[in-house]
Amino acid sequence: MVRHETVPSLAEVAPSLARRARRRTETVDEILRIAVDVMREEGAAALSLSEVARRIGVRPPSLYKYFPSRAAVYDALFRRGAEQVLDRFRTAAAAAEPGVEALAAGVEAFGRWGAENGALAQLLFWRPVPGFVPSAEAYGPAVDLVSDIEKQLASAVERGQLRAEAATDEGQAVLSVLIGGAFSQHAANEPDVAYDEGRFTRLVPVLLDIFVRTYAPEGDRP
Amino acid sequence: MVRHETVPSLAEVAPSLARRARRRTETVDEILRIAVDVMREEGAAALSLSEVARRIGVRPPSLYKYFPSRAAVYDALFRRGAEQVLDRFRTAAAAAEPGVEALAAGVEAFGRWGAENGALAQLLFWRPVPGFVPSAEAYGPAVDLVSDIEKQLASAVERGQLRAEAATDEGQAVLSVLIGGAFSQHAANEPDVAYDEGRFTRLVPVLLDIFVRTYAPEGDRP
DNA sequence: GTCTATAGCCTGATAGAC
DNA sequence: GTCTATCAGGCTATAGAC
């Protein structure tokens, strides 16, 4: 005998599941948002789940329904940061003329995100948290970003805007030193200064110009 | 009445004081040496005085006879690191032809020290320890280093090897981005790779070359 | 999914005997 | 200058009631 009157219909259960899933996502979002606040105020390595719980207004054990460990929170933060910067890079690059202009626009957006999200950026560019190593899954968007930059470099070479050398491992490493260096100096020396006012962040266009001149095709130099 | 037979002579007391001072210095040195080991193994932010005491073979309270707090240990480490890198820079620069060659030699030594002393270098270049800000006194040698680099830049300009722009704030900032960027990428991505094998540290001569070309006097570019 | 309660760790730092 | 003893607090994580 089927007790169909006690079994909720799909129409009844589906919205409830969706609501629950949405509510859960919102809570996860809130945890991560507060975690970023704590990291910014106390330092990336000083993230404490108890402090996050305190600010949200729940007890620490409740957070374990959403994340199995403190490392899992760091992992989600890493992934989220990498997704954000990838998104910014792609949006900016897509809005510009393909080639060096797209590259410059993407790198500029990249640097701006880093300066404005120092706590998250430290997690991506430095290794400030003893014992934490991002999972391969969290690394995904970061890998995509590197691959996007490679593509933009290759595109600039194809268009004759840069020498072939720019798209080699050396060119990529030089570019990452320039971007990572500007961010690092900014984050270490003047973390609270706005991007447009920073002594180092303001150099990003200059550094890009240096990169482009260095790898300019023969005969193109002034 | 002077009880001179109970008062030790200067000849008796002075060597004892000297011995005591030397012994004290040795203990301080050992504490700092072990602290660097712990930082390298556990991360710069994970330095624990208990762990240092454990490795030395004493109880934690004993360390407080040498340092008033954990922050004081970090401060001494910062100062010591800055002194070391200043010394390396000066020695290398002094052994080379004044001007861009001395600059290149100094920067090379600088980068090599950073790669070989990652834990200490992180303390100098990043802000990995929540709540720790170096004292003005610990900053001293770091300020001297910046001033030395400025002098070398000015010297290269005087000799006509670089444009005047190289010795401005922009030139200094660009140079520090290049050095700091190479170190940061190395420390974050391949901290255990030797300087000469590192993907980023190996770029230091290339980056210096880029700097020199960028600020080469008019008409000197190829 | 929230809570209470708690285990089981760790830490920095101090007081005072020897 | 070393030790024992201890304070006072933090933390992550788990068990189990509701």
Side-chain angles (χ1 to χ4, degrees):
Chain A
M1 176 175 154
V2 182
R3 294 172 299 145
H4 55 270
E5 63 275 13
T6 69
V7 179
S9 71
L10 188 65
E12 282 168 335
V13 76
S16 157
L17 284 176
R19 254 200 316 277
R20 234 176 255 183
R22 200 177 56 236
R23 174 106 183 88
R24 191 180 170 81
T25 306
E26 281 166 12
T27 307
V28 165
D29 280 353
E30 187 179 14
I31 292 171
L32 295 179
R33 212 180 57 237
I34 306 274
V36 170
D37 289 347
V38 175
M39 283 171 69
R40 180 162 38 230
E41 290 169 36
E42 318 280 346
L47 174 62
S48 131
L49 296 194
S50 298
E51 178 62 24
V52 172
R54 216 171 288 131
R55 296 191 187 196
I56 292 180
V58 299
R59 303 290 167 177
S62 302
L63 300 185
Y64 285 81
K65 291 288 173 184
Y66 300 92
F67 295 96
S69 69
R70 181 173 174 259
V73 175
Y74 274 124
D75 217 52
L77 289 168
F78 188 99
R79 184 180 227 293
R80 176 161 293 214
E83 280 167 358
Q84 281 178 19
V85 66
L86 176 61
D87 181 63
R88 296 279 192 100
F89 180 90
R90 283 188 173 163
T91 302
E97 203 66 30
V100 288
E101 288 188 28
L103 187 68
V107 166
E108 170 87 11
F110 188 164
R112 196 172 285 272
W113 178 88
E116 287 166 0
N117 298 272
L120 232 39
Q122 284 180 36
L123 210 56
L124 291 174
F125 297 131
W126 299 348
R127 288 292 138 91
V129 183
F132 167 65
V133 181
S135 66
E137 199 246 340
Y139 243 112
V143 172
D144 291 347
L145 177 62
V146 170
S147 142
D148 263 46
I149 292 176
E150 284 175 24
K151 274 184 209 143
Q152 293 288 356
L153 280 171
S155 165
V157 169
E158 268 173 39
R159 282 157 209 272
Q161 298 170 320
L162 297 176
R163 291 204 308 281
E165 214 184 340
T168 62
D169 182 75
E170 184 196 289
Q172 291 158 25
V174 168
L175 186 57
S176 73
V177 164
L178 296 178
I179 306 170
F183 163 75
S184 291
Q185 294 289 351
H186 178 79
N189 296 299
E190 37 189 35
D192 298 324
V193 176
Y195 181 83
D196 291 310
E197 267 79 40
R199 182 180 171 217
F200 302 99
T201 45
R202 239 183 342 200
L203 282 184
V204 168
V206 175
L207 294 166
L208 264 163
D209 202 51
I210 291 176
F211 181 80
V212 172
R213 282 165 184 269
T214 299
Y215 292 102
E218 302 295 337
D220 265 27
R221 293 188 223 180
Chain B
M1 177 175 151
V2 182
R3 292 172 302 146
H4 57 270
E5 64 274 12
T6 68
V7 179
S9 71
L10 188 65
E12 281 169 336
V13 77
S16 156
L17 285 176
R19 253 200 316 276
R20 235 177 254 182
R22 199 177 56 238
R23 175 104 184 90
R24 191 180 169 83
T25 305
E26 280 167 13
T27 307
V28 166
D29 279 355
E30 187 179 14
I31 292 171
L32 295 179
R33 212 180 58 236
I34 305 275
V36 169
D37 288 348
V38 175
M39 284 171 70
R40 180 162 38 230
E41 290 169 37
E42 317 280 346
L47 174 61
S48 131
L49 296 193
S50 299
E51 178 62 24
V52 173
R54 216 171 287 131
R55 295 191 187 195
I56 293 181
V58 300
R59 302 291 168 176
S62 302
L63 300 185
Y64 285 82
K65 292 287 174 185
Y66 300 92
F67 295 96
S69 70
R70 181 173 174 259
V73 175
Y74 274 124
D75 216 53
L77 288 169
F78 188 99
R79 183 180 227 294
R80 177 162 291 214
E83 280 168 357
Q84 281 179 19
V85 67
L86 176 61
D87 181 65
R88 295 278 193 98
F89 180 91
R90 284 188 171 161
T91 303
E97 204 65 30
V100 288
E101 289 189 28
L103 187 68
V107 166
E108 170 88 11
F110 188 164
R112 196 173 284 272
W113 178 87
E116 287 166 0
N117 298 273
L120 233 38
Q122 285 179 35
L123 210 56
L124 292 174
F125 297 130
W126 298 347
R127 288 292 140 90
V129 183
F132 167 65
V133 181
S135 66
E137 199 246 341
Y139 243 111
V143 172
D144 292 346
L145 177 62
V146 170
S147 140
D148 262 47
I149 293 177
E150 283 175 25
K151 274 183 209 143
Q152 293 288 355
L153 280 172
S155 165
V157 170
E158 268 173 38
R159 281 157 210 274
Q161 297 170 321
L162 296 177
R163 291 205 307 283
E165 214 185 340
T168 63
D169 182 74
E170 183 194 290
Q172 292 158 24
V174 167
L175 186 57
S176 73
V177 163
L178 296 177
I179 306 169
F183 164 75
S184 291
Q185 294 290 351
H186 178 79
N189 297 298
E190 37 188 35
D192 297 324
V193 175
Y195 181 83
D196 292 310
E197 268 79 41
R199 182 181 171 216
F200 302 99
T201 45
R202 235 179 350 195
L203 282 184
V204 168
V206 175
L207 295 165
L208 264 163
D209 202 51
I210 290 175
F211 182 80
V212 172
R213 283 164 183 268
T214 298
Y215 292 103
E218 302 295 336
D220 266 27
R221 293 188 222 181

